[in-house]
Amino acid sequence: MPSNEIIQGLGLDDYKFGFVTDSEPVFKTRPGLDADVVRQISARKDEPEWMLKRRLKALRIYDAKPMPQWGGDLSELEETLSRTYFYSKPQEQMERSWDDVPESIKLTFERLGIPEAERKILAGVGAQYDSEMVYHSLKEEWESKGVIFDSIEDGLKNHPELFRKHFGTVIPAADNKFAALNSAVWSGGSFVYIPPGVRLETPLQAYFRVNQERLGQFERTLIIAGEGSRAHYIEGCTAPVYSTDSFHSGVIEIVVNRDAHFRYTTIQNWSNNMYNLVTQRALVQQGAHMEWLDGNLGSKLTMKYPSCFLVGEGAHGEILSIAYAGDDQHQDTGGKVIHVAPNTTSSIVSKSISKGTGRASYRGLCKVYDGARNARSNVECDALLINETSRTDTFPYIEIDERSATVGHEATVSKVGDEQLFYLMSRGMDEAEAMALIVRGFIEPIAKELPLEYAVELNRLIELEMEGSVG
Amino acid sequence: MSDSPILAVKGLRAGVADEDLDILKGVDLALGPGEVHAIMGPNGSGKSTLAKVIAGHPGYEARGGSVEFGGEDLLEMEPDERARAGVFMAFQYPAEIPGVSIANFLRTALQSRLEDGEELDLFDFQELLMERMELLGMDASFAERHVNDGFSGGEKKRNEILQMAVLKPALAVMDETDSGLDIDALQVVARGVNALREENPEMSVLLITHYQRVLSHIVPDTVHVVVDGRIVESGGPEVALELEAQGYEEYRKAHAA
């Protein structure tokens, strides 16, 4: 079966698949957005007054800001948004059963080799989680070290001061139209606090947060890494996100305090009717390291540029991103590094693959402020084109106001060559295997940075996507 | 000549796809099991075209005649089917595959030879790879390097020989494997080929070359001289020596006459 059919199947809506729920009708706000909808969301979450005020203010900013005219084509977004339900009650409270999940989705999970338990969660039926014991023992370890790993809602409830001190400081509502939107209607996401000096060997994985609010359309994540701490947070997974939503706009804020090391990994594969417009940014203090590892597959249009604001001396920021644009998809991705302090260093490595009529754009910003003495930055973006119809563009913005800064930029575009294909086929691989191997090699510099199981999933997923791309 | 050749080329006419000109204008060749045949000829004579047509390069097309391998019509097979059937071509200019280690590449190539659902045992593979590298006197770290990426000419050729050693073909077509090699690198390659022949005396080799010097390391049973798309002379190793002394001019003149 062509993989595209499977993947496209994921974008269709519940009713078509005949999902039945025995519970009460799910609470939803009415389609569209106004102050009343925002008030309802806040009331549902039983939020303090200050948060409601923040939300309402963000809504005003959102209304006032024009739609961006750069990046991808957002001309149909207004219409989509008028139909969007900005809030609905979390999915896992719906009593879906695994038997109700469409065969095509089960098949996709199976072919991806996703563990059964994870499949259920991904399909929105995961009330029981087989690895709950694992989760509990990790949870005990985290608690004993004072680590907080909660849903964003619980973060606000249980740690109001810490929350309020940092929320919206890295990405204020006024940052951009979609940050404003998220600030008005956010729901779901994680709240993470790593106390000073604490080092976590096991990554914090979002899917461990079972029986809590699932990642929503307007997910909001706030992470505070204390001085000298080390941790790795993993969001998402390579399985197609099973969602009827056509719009996803997340905000991820990370504060990396002095000498801390933090890595945020996300690999996401959205159904291809989806607009995916995400703002993710880290504030990196003196001597601290921040790494974004960002994988984007699927969606109709993704606009996502993980950023590092290097505000303390010697801070280091790294962005590794990989994008896969299949037929009719546009991945407008890249990264931003802002050097504010002296001796700050950064590196962006971006890889994109365009197949069929897919389009991948690299869009990046490297800004060095006056006074960021000896700042060094290196940007490398490589694009791989699979077919004649595939497209790639590069938009590197470089703004340097400091004489002693060193900034390098390198961009390559390659096509899967006939000679490469013939070479591999002359060793016995069929055309699809040969193509998949070339693509795997292309993404290897990023895949090797992923935890093994994610790298394996990513490779499998790309193989699945590559099927039928030749001939 | 053996009565049942592993490779039988009859009246082969071939050229570059989308171009009318025939480069091979009727080539006949029969290679028995375990035989080494050298194909010599000046630039543009069609030597490499012959190699590419045998391997199934999509940029070349056969327009007449036949090529049989083990009794099967090779021209009807895709390049990967030919490889799985036992044809191996050592490339003159092998492609670079960045990000793919030689070990991974060979593992995938061996896996492709198995039935659907059958999995290559990784330990067995590792053992085979190490044993093959030892046979060729290669350092184990070589297998971790990315296929031909940043390789010197000599390293590329050694990589081709390693692949041949792992894939154990019935027919090895060596397309100017000796060109651009210094004498040390040439000896390494020749030793490798000879070791493989010793190990598998049934392996046939079609050795395409400009120069006689490789033939003192890999001794051919038969030498064919190709001029302007045709084999104009076939004989023992002495043909290569004569050629080295006289050049191709005599053959050209004779052929033109």
mmCIF file of all heavy atoms in Angstrom, chain A residues 169-172 175-176 179 221 223 251-256 278-284 290 292 305-309 336 338:
data_model
loop_
_atom_site.group_PDB
_atom_site.id
_atom_site.type_symbol
_atom_site.label_atom_id
_atom_site.label_comp_id
_atom_site.label_asym_id
_atom_site.label_seq_id
_atom_site.Cartn_x
_atom_site.Cartn_y
_atom_site.Cartn_z
ATOM 1 N N THR A 169 8.345 35.102 29.779
ATOM 2 C CA THR A 169 9.528 35.979 29.825
ATOM 3 C C THR A 169 10.455 35.718 28.635
ATOM 4 O O THR A 169 11.170 36.614 28.205
ATOM 5 C CB THR A 169 10.341 35.772 31.123
ATOM 6 O OG1 THR A 169 10.734 34.394 31.205
ATOM 7 C CG2 THR A 169 9.525 36.153 32.341
ATOM 8 N N VAL A 170 10.461 34.499 28.142
ATOM 9 C CA VAL A 170 11.347 34.183 27.018
ATOM 10 C C VAL A 170 10.628 34.495 25.696
ATOM 11 O O VAL A 170 11.216 35.023 24.765
ATOM 12 C CB VAL A 170 11.792 32.698 27.058
ATOM 13 C CG1 VAL A 170 12.774 32.398 25.943
ATOM 14 C CG2 VAL A 170 12.405 32.363 28.411
ATOM 15 N N ILE A 171 9.350 34.185 25.675
ATOM 16 C CA ILE A 171 8.540 34.506 24.497
ATOM 17 C C ILE A 171 7.308 35.294 24.952
ATOM 18 O O ILE A 171 6.293 34.703 25.323
ATOM 19 C CB ILE A 171 8.107 33.229 23.749
ATOM 20 C CG1 ILE A 171 9.350 32.392 23.372
ATOM 21 C CG2 ILE A 171 7.304 33.588 22.496
ATOM 22 C CD1 ILE A 171 9.028 31.037 22.773
ATOM 23 N N PRO A 172 7.401 36.604 24.965
ATOM 24 C CA PRO A 172 6.245 37.401 25.350
ATOM 25 C C PRO A 172 5.143 37.282 24.295
ATOM 26 O O PRO A 172 5.419 36.944 23.140
ATOM 27 C CB PRO A 172 6.779 38.838 25.394
ATOM 28 C CG PRO A 172 8.219 38.775 25.067
ATOM 29 C CD PRO A 172 8.549 37.414 24.550
ATOM 30 N N ASP A 175 5.543 38.838 20.897
ATOM 31 C CA ASP A 175 6.663 38.431 20.042
ATOM 32 C C ASP A 175 6.253 38.266 18.580
ATOM 33 O O ASP A 175 6.920 38.757 17.678
ATOM 34 C CB ASP A 175 7.248 37.120 20.554
ATOM 35 C CG ASP A 175 8.541 36.771 19.856
ATOM 36 O OD1 ASP A 175 9.575 37.322 20.257
ATOM 37 O OD2 ASP A 175 8.507 35.972 18.887
ATOM 38 N N ASN A 176 5.175 37.556 18.367
ATOM 39 C CA ASN A 176 4.663 37.400 17.003
ATOM 40 C C ASN A 176 3.202 36.991 17.079
ATOM 41 O O ASN A 176 2.702 36.651 18.154
ATOM 42 C CB ASN A 176 5.498 36.387 16.216
ATOM 43 C CG ASN A 176 5.381 34.979 16.767
ATOM 44 O OD1 ASN A 176 4.332 34.349 16.675
ATOM 45 N ND2 ASN A 176 6.453 34.488 17.377
ATOM 46 N N ALA A 179 2.559 33.564 18.645
ATOM 47 C CA ALA A 179 2.894 33.516 20.067
ATOM 48 C C ALA A 179 1.765 34.185 20.852
ATOM 49 O O ALA A 179 1.383 33.731 21.935
ATOM 50 C CB ALA A 179 4.219 34.223 20.330
ATOM 51 N N THR A 221 4.866 24.989 26.639
ATOM 52 C CA THR A 221 5.819 24.324 27.518
ATOM 53 C C THR A 221 6.775 25.351 28.099
ATOM 54 O O THR A 221 7.242 26.256 27.403
ATOM 55 C CB THR A 221 6.550 23.200 26.756
ATOM 56 O OG1 THR A 221 5.649 22.107 26.580
ATOM 57 C CG2 THR A 221 7.772 22.698 27.506
ATOM 58 N N ILE A 223 10.194 25.489 30.542
ATOM 59 C CA ILE A 223 11.256 24.679 31.152
ATOM 60 C C ILE A 223 12.270 25.603 31.810
ATOM 61 O O ILE A 223 12.721 26.582 31.198
ATOM 62 C CB ILE A 223 11.952 23.802 30.098
ATOM 63 C CG1 ILE A 223 10.960 22.777 29.535
ATOM 64 C CG2 ILE A 223 13.179 23.099 30.683
ATOM 65 C CD1 ILE A 223 11.460 21.989 28.333
ATOM 66 N N VAL A 251 4.065 27.000 21.806
ATOM 67 C CA VAL A 251 5.117 27.902 22.289
ATOM 68 C C VAL A 251 5.944 27.132 23.315
ATOM 69 O O VAL A 251 5.410 26.564 24.263
ATOM 70 C CB VAL A 251 4.528 29.179 22.923
ATOM 71 C CG1 VAL A 251 5.591 29.928 23.729
ATOM 72 C CG2 VAL A 251 3.964 30.101 21.844
ATOM 73 N N ILE A 252 7.245 27.090 23.091
ATOM 74 C CA ILE A 252 8.154 26.407 24.004
ATOM 75 C C ILE A 252 9.155 27.435 24.522
ATOM 76 O O ILE A 252 9.910 28.012 23.737
ATOM 77 C CB ILE A 252 8.980 25.304 23.281
ATOM 78 C CG1 ILE A 252 8.130 24.491 22.306
ATOM 79 C CG2 ILE A 252 9.730 24.433 24.285
ATOM 80 C CD1 ILE A 252 7.128 23.581 22.896
ATOM 81 N N GLU A 253 9.140 27.648 25.834
ATOM 82 C CA GLU A 253 10.072 28.617 26.443
ATOM 83 C C GLU A 253 11.038 27.856 27.335
ATOM 84 O O GLU A 253 10.608 27.055 28.173
ATOM 85 C CB GLU A 253 9.313 29.598 27.348
ATOM 86 C CG GLU A 253 8.340 30.491 26.649
ATOM 87 C CD GLU A 253 7.705 31.461 27.652
ATOM 88 O OE1 GLU A 253 6.778 31.056 28.368
ATOM 89 O OE2 GLU A 253 8.164 32.614 27.715
ATOM 90 N N ILE A 254 12.305 28.135 27.187
ATOM 91 C CA ILE A 254 13.290 27.454 28.023
ATOM 92 C C ILE A 254 14.265 28.470 28.607
ATOM 93 O O ILE A 254 14.806 29.311 27.888
ATOM 94 C CB ILE A 254 14.078 26.395 27.221
ATOM 95 C CG1 ILE A 254 13.101 25.400 26.577
ATOM 96 C CG2 ILE A 254 15.080 25.665 28.111
ATOM 97 C CD1 ILE A 254 13.754 24.291 25.798
ATOM 98 N N VAL A 255 14.452 28.397 29.918
ATOM 99 C CA VAL A 255 15.450 29.231 30.577
ATOM 100 C C VAL A 255 16.605 28.318 30.970
ATOM 101 O O VAL A 255 16.411 27.373 31.733
ATOM 102 C CB VAL A 255 14.861 29.902 31.842
ATOM 103 C CG1 VAL A 255 15.927 30.735 32.542
ATOM 104 C CG2 VAL A 255 13.648 30.743 31.478
ATOM 105 N N VAL A 256 17.773 28.576 30.392
ATOM 106 C CA VAL A 256 18.935 27.753 30.718
ATOM 107 C C VAL A 256 19.872 28.619 31.565
ATOM 108 O O VAL A 256 20.551 29.507 31.057
ATOM 109 C CB VAL A 256 19.654 27.268 29.440
ATOM 110 C CG1 VAL A 256 20.679 26.195 29.790
ATOM 111 C CG2 VAL A 256 18.664 26.717 28.431
ATOM 112 N N VAL A 278 5.100 27.201 15.065
ATOM 113 C CA VAL A 278 5.578 27.031 16.429
ATOM 114 C C VAL A 278 6.668 28.048 16.738
ATOM 115 O O VAL A 278 7.501 28.349 15.897
ATOM 116 C CB VAL A 278 6.134 25.597 16.618
ATOM 117 C CG1 VAL A 278 6.670 25.403 18.023
ATOM 118 C CG2 VAL A 278 5.049 24.571 16.323
ATOM 119 N N THR A 279 6.628 28.582 17.958
ATOM 120 C CA THR A 279 7.709 29.454 18.413
ATOM 121 C C THR A 279 8.437 28.736 19.536
ATOM 122 O O THR A 279 7.823 28.377 20.539
ATOM 123 C CB THR A 279 7.153 30.787 18.945
ATOM 124 O OG1 THR A 279 6.265 31.340 17.968
ATOM 125 C CG2 THR A 279 8.281 31.785 19.203
ATOM 126 N N GLN A 280 9.712 28.478 19.367
ATOM 127 C CA GLN A 280 10.470 27.866 20.459
ATOM 128 C C GLN A 280 11.789 28.592 20.641
ATOM 129 O O GLN A 280 12.507 28.844 19.684
ATOM 130 C CB GLN A 280 10.637 26.357 20.285
ATOM 131 C CG GLN A 280 10.932 25.842 18.904
ATOM 132 C CD GLN A 280 10.851 24.321 18.847
ATOM 133 O OE1 GLN A 280 9.809 23.724 19.100
ATOM 134 N NE2 GLN A 280 11.965 23.682 18.521
ATOM 135 N N ARG A 281 12.046 28.944 21.894
ATOM 136 C CA ARG A 281 13.182 29.808 22.153
ATOM 137 C C ARG A 281 13.794 29.510 23.510
ATOM 138 O O ARG A 281 13.081 29.197 24.459
ATOM 139 C CB ARG A 281 12.718 31.272 22.136
ATOM 140 C CG ARG A 281 13.833 32.276 22.264
ATOM 141 C CD ARG A 281 13.292 33.681 22.195
ATOM 142 N NE ARG A 281 12.590 33.920 20.938
ATOM 143 C CZ ARG A 281 11.717 34.904 20.744
ATOM 144 N NH1 ARG A 281 11.415 35.734 21.728
ATOM 145 N NH2 ARG A 281 11.139 35.059 19.580
ATOM 146 N N ALA A 282 15.107 29.606 23.568
ATOM 147 C CA ALA A 282 15.801 29.410 24.841
ATOM 148 C C ALA A 282 16.605 30.655 25.171
ATOM 149 O O ALA A 282 17.217 31.265 24.284
ATOM 150 C CB ALA A 282 16.728 28.206 24.761
ATOM 151 N N LEU A 283 16.583 30.998 26.445
ATOM 152 C CA LEU A 283 17.399 32.088 26.952
ATOM 153 C C LEU A 283 18.603 31.428 27.608
ATOM 154 O O LEU A 283 18.445 30.669 28.566
ATOM 155 C CB LEU A 283 16.574 32.862 27.981
ATOM 156 C CG LEU A 283 16.994 34.272 28.316
ATOM 157 C CD1 LEU A 283 16.825 35.166 27.095
ATOM 158 C CD2 LEU A 283 16.143 34.798 29.461
ATOM 159 N N VAL A 284 19.789 31.683 27.071
ATOM 160 C CA VAL A 284 20.953 30.923 27.518
ATOM 161 C C VAL A 284 21.902 31.836 28.291
ATOM 162 O O VAL A 284 22.431 32.807 27.743
ATOM 163 C CB VAL A 284 21.682 30.271 26.321
ATOM 164 C CG1 VAL A 284 22.698 29.252 26.798
ATOM 165 C CG2 VAL A 284 20.682 29.605 25.374
ATOM 166 N N MET A 290 22.779 25.238 25.223
ATOM 167 C CA MET A 290 21.430 24.839 24.825
ATOM 168 C C MET A 290 21.508 24.163 23.470
ATOM 169 O O MET A 290 22.184 24.647 22.557
ATOM 170 C CB MET A 290 20.524 26.068 24.736
ATOM 171 C CG MET A 290 19.138 25.758 24.174
ATOM 172 S SD MET A 290 18.160 24.698 25.280
ATOM 173 C CE MET A 290 17.031 23.948 24.090
ATOM 174 N N TRP A 292 18.990 22.463 20.486
ATOM 175 C CA TRP A 292 17.688 22.079 19.933
ATOM 176 C C TRP A 292 17.923 21.016 18.881
ATOM 177 O O TRP A 292 18.753 21.196 17.996
ATOM 178 C CB TRP A 292 17.016 23.250 19.216
ATOM 179 C CG TRP A 292 16.587 24.405 20.038
ATOM 180 C CD1 TRP A 292 17.233 25.598 20.155
ATOM 181 C CD2 TRP A 292 15.386 24.512 20.823
ATOM 182 N NE1 TRP A 292 16.512 26.444 20.975
ATOM 183 C CE2 TRP A 292 15.374 25.810 21.387
ATOM 184 C CE3 TRP A 292 14.321 23.643 21.096
ATOM 185 C CZ2 TRP A 292 14.342 26.250 22.224
ATOM 186 C CZ3 TRP A 292 13.304 24.086 21.916
ATOM 187 C CH2 TRP A 292 13.322 25.375 22.471
ATOM 188 N N TYR A 305 11.357 27.903 13.805
ATOM 189 C CA TYR A 305 12.772 28.301 13.828
ATOM 190 C C TYR A 305 13.261 28.330 15.273
ATOM 191 O O TYR A 305 13.233 29.383 15.910
ATOM 192 C CB TYR A 305 12.946 29.685 13.184
ATOM 193 C CG TYR A 305 11.997 29.902 12.021
ATOM 194 C CD1 TYR A 305 10.781 30.567 12.201
ATOM 195 C CD2 TYR A 305 12.291 29.378 10.764
ATOM 196 C CE1 TYR A 305 9.888 30.716 11.156
ATOM 197 C CE2 TYR A 305 11.404 29.523 9.717
ATOM 198 C CZ TYR A 305 10.197 30.192 9.912
ATOM 199 O OH TYR A 305 9.306 30.324 8.881
ATOM 200 N N PRO A 306 13.665 27.190 15.814
ATOM 201 C CA PRO A 306 14.130 27.172 17.204
ATOM 202 C C PRO A 306 15.227 28.222 17.394
ATOM 203 O O PRO A 306 16.082 28.381 16.516
ATOM 204 C CB PRO A 306 14.701 25.765 17.374
ATOM 205 C CG PRO A 306 14.106 24.959 16.275
ATOM 206 C CD PRO A 306 13.843 25.906 15.149
ATOM 207 N N SER A 307 15.172 28.924 18.516
ATOM 208 C CA SER A 307 16.104 30.035 18.711
ATOM 209 C C SER A 307 16.881 29.911 20.010
ATOM 210 O O SER A 307 16.388 29.361 20.986
ATOM 211 C CB SER A 307 15.347 31.365 18.773
ATOM 212 O OG SER A 307 14.348 31.419 17.794
ATOM 213 N N CYS A 308 18.091 30.450 19.978
ATOM 214 C CA CYS A 308 18.895 30.576 21.190
ATOM 215 C C CYS A 308 19.259 32.037 21.352
ATOM 216 O O CYS A 308 19.889 32.611 20.460
ATOM 217 C CB CYS A 308 20.186 29.761 21.080
ATOM 218 S SG CYS A 308 19.931 27.975 21.050
ATOM 219 N N PHE A 309 18.873 32.611 22.461
ATOM 220 C CA PHE A 309 19.317 33.963 22.813
ATOM 221 C C PHE A 309 20.490 33.811 23.763
ATOM 222 O O PHE A 309 20.305 33.405 24.905
ATOM 223 C CB PHE A 309 18.179 34.757 23.469
ATOM 224 C CG PHE A 309 17.208 35.338 22.466
ATOM 225 C CD1 PHE A 309 16.624 34.541 21.492
ATOM 226 C CD2 PHE A 309 16.882 36.694 22.495
ATOM 227 C CE1 PHE A 309 15.740 35.068 20.559
ATOM 228 C CE2 PHE A 309 15.996 37.230 21.560
ATOM 229 C CZ PHE A 309 15.421 36.421 20.593
ATOM 230 N N LYS A 336 17.438 30.279 14.741
ATOM 231 C CA LYS A 336 17.927 31.637 14.983
ATOM 232 C C LYS A 336 18.894 31.614 16.144
ATOM 233 O O LYS A 336 18.627 30.982 17.174
ATOM 234 C CB LYS A 336 16.763 32.558 15.372
ATOM 235 C CG LYS A 336 15.707 32.751 14.318
ATOM 236 C CD LYS A 336 14.713 33.776 14.844
ATOM 237 C CE LYS A 336 13.405 33.701 14.102
ATOM 238 N NZ LYS A 336 12.399 34.603 14.678
ATOM 239 N N ILE A 338 21.016 34.443 18.481
ATOM 240 C CA ILE A 338 21.188 35.857 18.768
ATOM 241 C C ILE A 338 22.320 35.981 19.784
ATOM 242 O O ILE A 338 22.189 35.504 20.914
ATOM 243 C CB ILE A 338 19.891 36.464 19.385
ATOM 244 C CG1 ILE A 338 18.646 35.963 18.663
ATOM 245 C CG2 ILE A 338 19.983 37.981 19.431
ATOM 246 C CD1 ILE A 338 18.441 36.468 17.268
#
